[in-house]
Amino acid sequence: MEIFIITGMSGAGKSTALNYFEDRGYMTIDNMPCFFIDGSKLSVYRERIKKIAIGMDIRSFERTDEFLELLENLKGEGVSYKILYLDAKDEIILNRYNLTRRSHPLKRSNSIVENIYLERKMLSEIRELADIIIDTSDFTPKEMIENLKNRLEYKKIRDLVLTITTFGFKYGAPIDLDMMFDTRSLLNPYYIEELRPKNGSDKAVQEYVMNGSGSKEYLEKIEGMLEFLLPHFIKEGKTHLTVGIGCSGGKHRSVTIASKLYEYFNKNEKIKVLLNHREKEKWSL
């Protein structure tokens, strides 16, 4: 039996995620209270029900402990599961609620802002347990579906999916990163007129960045650190790792280093590597 528990911040896209799983043959259940889920029954019917996606938010439990007890119950009955945690920046969630004119499900306060803050605090422990964390702040529903496809659909099951995300610090750091590296100390092509309109996927930009003082050593240090850590993550059962590479605008230095990392780790047959440039639509601005 394959079980996905979809949880996270209200307004981050749980309904869209459940639609994705339903379209792929999963039995989907939304807003299921924790006390209705019985690990022993799931264990008995594992041959009958092959794939289940369960949507759970703060309406599914009064205390975080109830959710943690559910996970222990599933483990005790030998039922394996994966937790997909959907997140988004507070201002994005607030804007989504204002657009839909729906009330926040927590209802601890008359202020949506306060409810978002309280919900994030309540779910912090659950977020730490997630197998996959996706920041949906910059996604349309269609883009979110594509992201789920890239994360979850691949023919050969590998030990770990490594997602390398580039971004610009001036636009804010992504909130779904496991690790983050700052490339702003490297030589900046932005100040070279003929390189400014190009990006870090261009050979001329890569040569300029990598010929700068310390660039090659910095890349080697990141490669070495990830080479050391990845087997430990795999041993601990982690199946997804998201690494952020940032520079000022997310166009030159971060893209150069990320492209080099993609080339390096894509040779490893045990790892599926995904490369995501968050600021790509801004490159032409």
Side-chain angles (χ1 to χ4, degrees), residues 1-3 25-29 41-54 79:
M1 178 182 290
E2 184 178 334
I3 299 179
Y26 284 76
M27 176 184 288
T28 58
I29 307 169
K41 289 185 178 179
L42 287 173
S43 178
V44 169
Y45 291 107
R46 70 175 72 205
E47 294 301 322
R48 182 173 170 183
I49 305 173
K50 299 294 185 182
K51 300 189 293 185
I52 304 178
I54 305 172
V79 177

PDB file of all heavy atoms in Angstrom, residues 1-3 25-29 41-54 79:
ATOM      1  N   MET A   1       0.837  -1.194   0.000  1.00  0.00           N
ATOM      2  CA  MET A   1       0.000   0.000   0.000  1.00  0.00           C
ATOM      3  C   MET A   1       0.875   1.248   0.000  1.00  0.00           C
ATOM      4  O   MET A   1       1.850   1.327   0.744  1.00  0.00           O
ATOM      5  CB  MET A   1      -0.926   0.011   1.230  1.00  0.00           C
ATOM      6  CG  MET A   1      -1.797   1.259   1.317  1.00  0.00           C
ATOM      7  SD  MET A   1      -2.820   1.264   2.802  1.00  0.00           S
ATOM      8  CE  MET A   1      -3.985  -0.045   2.442  1.00  0.00           C
ATOM      9  N   GLU A   2       0.507   2.198  -0.849  1.00  0.00           N
ATOM     10  CA  GLU A   2       1.241   3.462  -0.938  1.00  0.00           C
ATOM     11  C   GLU A   2       0.368   4.566  -0.356  1.00  0.00           C
ATOM     12  O   GLU A   2      -0.722   4.824  -0.843  1.00  0.00           O
ATOM     13  CB  GLU A   2       1.585   3.753  -2.401  1.00  0.00           C
ATOM     14  CG  GLU A   2       2.428   4.989  -2.611  1.00  0.00           C
ATOM     15  CD  GLU A   2       2.782   5.187  -4.079  1.00  0.00           C
ATOM     16  OE1 GLU A   2       2.827   4.183  -4.835  1.00  0.00           O
ATOM     17  OE2 GLU A   2       2.997   6.337  -4.470  1.00  0.00           O
ATOM     18  N   ILE A   3       0.840   5.197   0.712  1.00  0.00           N
ATOM     19  CA  ILE A   3       0.066   6.239   1.385  1.00  0.00           C
ATOM     20  C   ILE A   3       0.818   7.562   1.359  1.00  0.00           C
ATOM     21  O   ILE A   3       1.988   7.625   1.749  1.00  0.00           O
ATOM     22  CB  ILE A   3      -0.237   5.856   2.853  1.00  0.00           C
ATOM     23  CG1 ILE A   3      -1.073   4.574   2.912  1.00  0.00           C
ATOM     24  CG2 ILE A   3      -0.962   6.997   3.563  1.00  0.00           C
ATOM     25  CD1 ILE A   3      -1.381   4.120   4.322  1.00  0.00           C
ATOM     26  N   GLY A  25      -5.093   7.790  -9.920  1.00  0.00           N
ATOM     27  CA  GLY A  25      -5.627   6.536  -9.425  1.00  0.00           C
ATOM     28  C   GLY A  25      -5.594   6.337  -7.925  1.00  0.00           C
ATOM     29  O   GLY A  25      -5.891   5.236  -7.439  1.00  0.00           O
ATOM     30  N   TYR A  26      -5.273   7.372  -7.164  1.00  0.00           N
ATOM     31  CA  TYR A  26      -5.277   7.244  -5.710  1.00  0.00           C
ATOM     32  C   TYR A  26      -6.695   7.417  -5.168  1.00  0.00           C
ATOM     33  O   TYR A  26      -7.478   8.226  -5.698  1.00  0.00           O
ATOM     34  CB  TYR A  26      -4.400   8.325  -5.071  1.00  0.00           C
ATOM     35  CG  TYR A  26      -2.914   8.092  -5.173  1.00  0.00           C
ATOM     36  CD1 TYR A  26      -2.247   8.312  -6.373  1.00  0.00           C
ATOM     37  CD2 TYR A  26      -2.179   7.674  -4.068  1.00  0.00           C
ATOM     38  CE1 TYR A  26      -0.879   8.104  -6.475  1.00  0.00           C
ATOM     39  CE2 TYR A  26      -0.806   7.475  -4.163  1.00  0.00           C
ATOM     40  CZ  TYR A  26      -0.162   7.689  -5.366  1.00  0.00           C
ATOM     41  OH  TYR A  26       1.199   7.493  -5.458  1.00  0.00           O
ATOM     42  N   MET A  27      -7.021   6.663  -4.120  1.00  0.00           N
ATOM     43  CA  MET A  27      -8.216   6.969  -3.347  1.00  0.00           C
ATOM     44  C   MET A  27      -7.876   8.202  -2.509  1.00  0.00           C
ATOM     45  O   MET A  27      -6.910   8.203  -1.751  1.00  0.00           O
ATOM     46  CB  MET A  27      -8.587   5.796  -2.430  1.00  0.00           C
ATOM     47  CG  MET A  27      -9.773   6.099  -1.528  1.00  0.00           C
ATOM     48  SD  MET A  27     -10.110   4.740  -0.381  1.00  0.00           S
ATOM     49  CE  MET A  27     -10.777   3.523  -1.514  1.00  0.00           C
ATOM     50  N   THR A  28      -8.638   9.266  -2.656  1.00  0.00           N
ATOM     51  CA  THR A  28      -8.324  10.508  -1.945  1.00  0.00           C
ATOM     52  C   THR A  28      -9.381  10.808  -0.886  1.00  0.00           C
ATOM     53  O   THR A  28     -10.581  10.639  -1.114  1.00  0.00           O
ATOM     54  CB  THR A  28      -8.221  11.697  -2.909  1.00  0.00           C
ATOM     55  OG1 THR A  28      -9.440  11.834  -3.629  1.00  0.00           O
ATOM     56  CG2 THR A  28      -7.077  11.500  -3.901  1.00  0.00           C
ATOM     57  N   ILE A  29      -8.908  11.235   0.271  1.00  0.00           N
ATOM     58  CA  ILE A  29      -9.785  11.579   1.390  1.00  0.00           C
ATOM     59  C   ILE A  29      -9.304  12.923   1.931  1.00  0.00           C
ATOM     60  O   ILE A  29      -8.117  13.095   2.221  1.00  0.00           O
ATOM     61  CB  ILE A  29      -9.714  10.525   2.513  1.00  0.00           C
ATOM     62  CG1 ILE A  29      -9.960   9.122   1.953  1.00  0.00           C
ATOM     63  CG2 ILE A  29     -10.704  10.844   3.619  1.00  0.00           C
ATOM     64  CD1 ILE A  29      -9.647   8.008   2.937  1.00  0.00           C
ATOM     65  N   LYS A  41      -6.595  -1.421  10.424  1.00  0.00           N
ATOM     66  CA  LYS A  41      -7.482  -1.680   9.288  1.00  0.00           C
ATOM     67  C   LYS A  41      -6.767  -1.430   7.962  1.00  0.00           C
ATOM     68  O   LYS A  41      -6.962  -2.165   6.991  1.00  0.00           O
ATOM     69  CB  LYS A  41      -8.720  -0.806   9.394  1.00  0.00           C
ATOM     70  CG  LYS A  41      -9.665  -1.236  10.514  1.00  0.00           C
ATOM     71  CD  LYS A  41     -10.935  -0.419  10.520  1.00  0.00           C
ATOM     72  CE  LYS A  41     -11.877  -0.918  11.631  1.00  0.00           C
ATOM     73  NZ  LYS A  41     -13.125  -0.120  11.688  1.00  0.00           N
ATOM     74  N   LEU A  42      -5.955  -0.380   7.922  1.00  0.00           N
ATOM     75  CA  LEU A  42      -5.179  -0.120   6.705  1.00  0.00           C
ATOM     76  C   LEU A  42      -4.238  -1.288   6.421  1.00  0.00           C
ATOM     77  O   LEU A  42      -4.029  -1.661   5.274  1.00  0.00           O
ATOM     78  CB  LEU A  42      -4.373   1.179   6.852  1.00  0.00           C
ATOM     79  CG  LEU A  42      -5.170   2.480   6.795  1.00  0.00           C
ATOM     80  CD1 LEU A  42      -4.284   3.666   7.131  1.00  0.00           C
ATOM     81  CD2 LEU A  42      -5.802   2.665   5.420  1.00  0.00           C
ATOM     82  N   SER A  43      -3.692  -1.854   7.484  1.00  0.00           N
ATOM     83  CA  SER A  43      -2.792  -2.994   7.324  1.00  0.00           C
ATOM     84  C   SER A  43      -3.525  -4.201   6.753  1.00  0.00           C
ATOM     85  O   SER A  43      -3.009  -4.905   5.878  1.00  0.00           O
ATOM     86  CB  SER A  43      -2.167  -3.352   8.682  1.00  0.00           C
ATOM     87  OG  SER A  43      -1.326  -4.463   8.568  1.00  0.00           O
ATOM     88  N   VAL A  44      -4.751  -4.418   7.224  1.00  0.00           N
ATOM     89  CA  VAL A  44      -5.546  -5.564   6.766  1.00  0.00           C
ATOM     90  C   VAL A  44      -5.927  -5.398   5.291  1.00  0.00           C
ATOM     91  O   VAL A  44      -5.892  -6.353   4.516  1.00  0.00           O
ATOM     92  CB  VAL A  44      -6.817  -5.714   7.626  1.00  0.00           C
ATOM     93  CG1 VAL A  44      -7.771  -6.726   7.003  1.00  0.00           C
ATOM     94  CG2 VAL A  44      -6.440  -6.148   9.043  1.00  0.00           C
ATOM     95  N   TYR A  45      -6.265  -4.180   4.896  1.00  0.00           N
ATOM     96  CA  TYR A  45      -6.772  -3.946   3.541  1.00  0.00           C
ATOM     97  C   TYR A  45      -5.699  -3.461   2.575  1.00  0.00           C
ATOM     98  O   TYR A  45      -6.021  -2.946   1.512  1.00  0.00           O
ATOM     99  CB  TYR A  45      -7.913  -2.933   3.586  1.00  0.00           C
ATOM    100  CG  TYR A  45      -9.166  -3.458   4.247  1.00  0.00           C
ATOM    101  CD1 TYR A  45      -9.543  -3.032   5.517  1.00  0.00           C
ATOM    102  CD2 TYR A  45      -9.968  -4.397   3.600  1.00  0.00           C
ATOM    103  CE1 TYR A  45     -10.688  -3.530   6.130  1.00  0.00           C
ATOM    104  CE2 TYR A  45     -11.109  -4.893   4.198  1.00  0.00           C
ATOM    105  CZ  TYR A  45     -11.470  -4.459   5.466  1.00  0.00           C
ATOM    106  OH  TYR A  45     -12.590  -4.952   6.059  1.00  0.00           O
ATOM    107  N   ARG A  46      -4.447  -3.660   2.918  1.00  0.00           N
ATOM    108  CA  ARG A  46      -3.377  -3.136   2.068  1.00  0.00           C
ATOM    109  C   ARG A  46      -3.356  -3.764   0.679  1.00  0.00           C
ATOM    110  O   ARG A  46      -2.908  -3.149  -0.280  1.00  0.00           O
ATOM    111  CB  ARG A  46      -2.026  -3.306   2.763  1.00  0.00           C
ATOM    112  CG  ARG A  46      -1.529  -4.721   2.880  1.00  0.00           C
ATOM    113  CD  ARG A  46      -0.133  -4.728   3.479  1.00  0.00           C
ATOM    114  NE  ARG A  46      -0.148  -4.388   4.893  1.00  0.00           N
ATOM    115  CZ  ARG A  46       0.892  -3.864   5.547  1.00  0.00           C
ATOM    116  NH1 ARG A  46       1.998  -3.600   4.902  1.00  0.00           N
ATOM    117  NH2 ARG A  46       0.807  -3.607   6.828  1.00  0.00           N
ATOM    118  N   GLU A  47      -3.841  -5.007   0.552  1.00  0.00           N
ATOM    119  CA  GLU A  47      -3.876  -5.647  -0.762  1.00  0.00           C
ATOM    120  C   GLU A  47      -5.068  -5.172  -1.588  1.00  0.00           C
ATOM    121  O   GLU A  47      -5.045  -5.187  -2.805  1.00  0.00           O
ATOM    122  CB  GLU A  47      -3.938  -7.173  -0.600  1.00  0.00           C
ATOM    123  CG  GLU A  47      -2.688  -7.776   0.025  1.00  0.00           C
ATOM    124  CD  GLU A  47      -1.441  -7.482  -0.787  1.00  0.00           C
ATOM    125  OE1 GLU A  47      -1.532  -7.491  -2.037  1.00  0.00           O
ATOM    126  OE2 GLU A  47      -0.380  -7.231  -0.196  1.00  0.00           O
ATOM    127  N   ARG A  48      -6.098  -4.726  -0.894  1.00  0.00           N
ATOM    128  CA  ARG A  48      -7.323  -4.292  -1.566  1.00  0.00           C
ATOM    129  C   ARG A  48      -7.228  -2.835  -2.016  1.00  0.00           C
ATOM    130  O   ARG A  48      -7.703  -2.478  -3.099  1.00  0.00           O
ATOM    131  CB  ARG A  48      -8.504  -4.477  -0.605  1.00  0.00           C
ATOM    132  CG  ARG A  48      -9.847  -4.118  -1.184  1.00  0.00           C
ATOM    133  CD  ARG A  48     -10.925  -4.512  -0.189  1.00  0.00           C
ATOM    134  NE  ARG A  48     -12.229  -3.995  -0.545  1.00  0.00           N
ATOM    135  CZ  ARG A  48     -13.308  -4.155   0.187  1.00  0.00           C
ATOM    136  NH1 ARG A  48     -13.238  -4.839   1.321  1.00  0.00           N
ATOM    137  NH2 ARG A  48     -14.466  -3.652  -0.190  1.00  0.00           N
ATOM    138  N   ILE A  49      -6.619  -2.025  -1.174  1.00  0.00           N
ATOM    139  CA  ILE A  49      -6.460  -0.602  -1.493  1.00  0.00           C
ATOM    140  C   ILE A  49      -4.972  -0.343  -1.712  1.00  0.00           C
ATOM    141  O   ILE A  49      -4.183  -0.372  -0.776  1.00  0.00           O
ATOM    142  CB  ILE A  49      -6.998   0.288  -0.355  1.00  0.00           C
ATOM    143  CG1 ILE A  49      -8.449  -0.069  -0.053  1.00  0.00           C
ATOM    144  CG2 ILE A  49      -6.859   1.758  -0.719  1.00  0.00           C
ATOM    145  CD1 ILE A  49      -9.010   0.630   1.162  1.00  0.00           C
ATOM    146  N   LYS A  50      -4.598  -0.082  -2.940  1.00  0.00           N
ATOM    147  CA  LYS A  50      -3.178   0.024  -3.285  1.00  0.00           C
ATOM    148  C   LYS A  50      -2.598   1.402  -3.005  1.00  0.00           C
ATOM    149  O   LYS A  50      -1.456   1.532  -2.578  1.00  0.00           O
ATOM    150  CB  LYS A  50      -2.974  -0.315  -4.770  1.00  0.00           C
ATOM    151  CG  LYS A  50      -3.386  -1.730  -5.158  1.00  0.00           C
ATOM    152  CD  LYS A  50      -2.500  -2.753  -4.487  1.00  0.00           C
ATOM    153  CE  LYS A  50      -2.839  -4.161  -4.971  1.00  0.00           C
ATOM    154  NZ  LYS A  50      -2.022  -5.182  -4.301  1.00  0.00           N
ATOM    155  N   LYS A  51      -3.408   2.463  -3.286  1.00  0.00           N
ATOM    156  CA  LYS A  51      -2.867   3.815  -3.197  1.00  0.00           C
ATOM    157  C   LYS A  51      -3.883   4.759  -2.540  1.00  0.00           C
ATOM    158  O   LYS A  51      -5.035   4.833  -2.971  1.00  0.00           O
ATOM    159  CB  LYS A  51      -2.511   4.349  -4.590  1.00  0.00           C
ATOM    160  CG  LYS A  51      -1.479   3.514  -5.328  1.00  0.00           C
ATOM    161  CD  LYS A  51      -0.993   4.188  -6.603  1.00  0.00           C
ATOM    162  CE  LYS A  51      -2.058   4.310  -7.651  1.00  0.00           C
ATOM    163  NZ  LYS A  51      -1.519   4.859  -8.940  1.00  0.00           N
ATOM    164  N   ILE A  52      -3.452   5.444  -1.497  1.00  0.00           N
ATOM    165  CA  ILE A  52      -4.324   6.378  -0.786  1.00  0.00           C
ATOM    166  C   ILE A  52      -3.591   7.709  -0.601  1.00  0.00           C
ATOM    167  O   ILE A  52      -2.414   7.733  -0.235  1.00  0.00           O
ATOM    168  CB  ILE A  52      -4.742   5.854   0.600  1.00  0.00           C
ATOM    169  CG1 ILE A  52      -5.420   4.490   0.505  1.00  0.00           C
ATOM    170  CG2 ILE A  52      -5.677   6.841   1.288  1.00  0.00           C
ATOM    171  CD1 ILE A  52      -5.806   3.928   1.859  1.00  0.00           C
ATOM    172  N   ALA A  53      -4.312   8.808  -0.816  1.00  0.00           N
ATOM    173  CA  ALA A  53      -3.802  10.147  -0.506  1.00  0.00           C
ATOM    174  C   ALA A  53      -4.770  10.788   0.485  1.00  0.00           C
ATOM    175  O   ALA A  53      -5.966  10.924   0.198  1.00  0.00           O
ATOM    176  CB  ALA A  53      -3.683  10.989  -1.765  1.00  0.00           C
ATOM    177  N   ILE A  54      -4.271  11.133   1.657  1.00  0.00           N
ATOM    178  CA  ILE A  54      -5.109  11.667   2.733  1.00  0.00           C
ATOM    179  C   ILE A  54      -4.746  13.126   2.975  1.00  0.00           C
ATOM    180  O   ILE A  54      -3.597  13.445   3.303  1.00  0.00           O
ATOM    181  CB  ILE A  54      -4.930  10.862   4.031  1.00  0.00           C
ATOM    182  CG1 ILE A  54      -5.185   9.370   3.789  1.00  0.00           C
ATOM    183  CG2 ILE A  54      -5.840  11.397   5.125  1.00  0.00           C
ATOM    184  CD1 ILE A  54      -4.835   8.487   4.976  1.00  0.00           C
ATOM    185  N   VAL A  79       2.543   0.027   8.545  1.00  0.00           N
ATOM    186  CA  VAL A  79       2.017   0.753   7.391  1.00  0.00           C
ATOM    187  C   VAL A  79       2.979   1.900   7.057  1.00  0.00           C
ATOM    188  O   VAL A  79       3.175   2.800   7.875  1.00  0.00           O
ATOM    189  CB  VAL A  79       0.607   1.317   7.677  1.00  0.00           C
ATOM    190  CG1 VAL A  79       0.108   2.121   6.483  1.00  0.00           C
ATOM    191  CG2 VAL A  79      -0.359   0.197   8.027  1.00  0.00           C
TER     192      VAL A  79
END
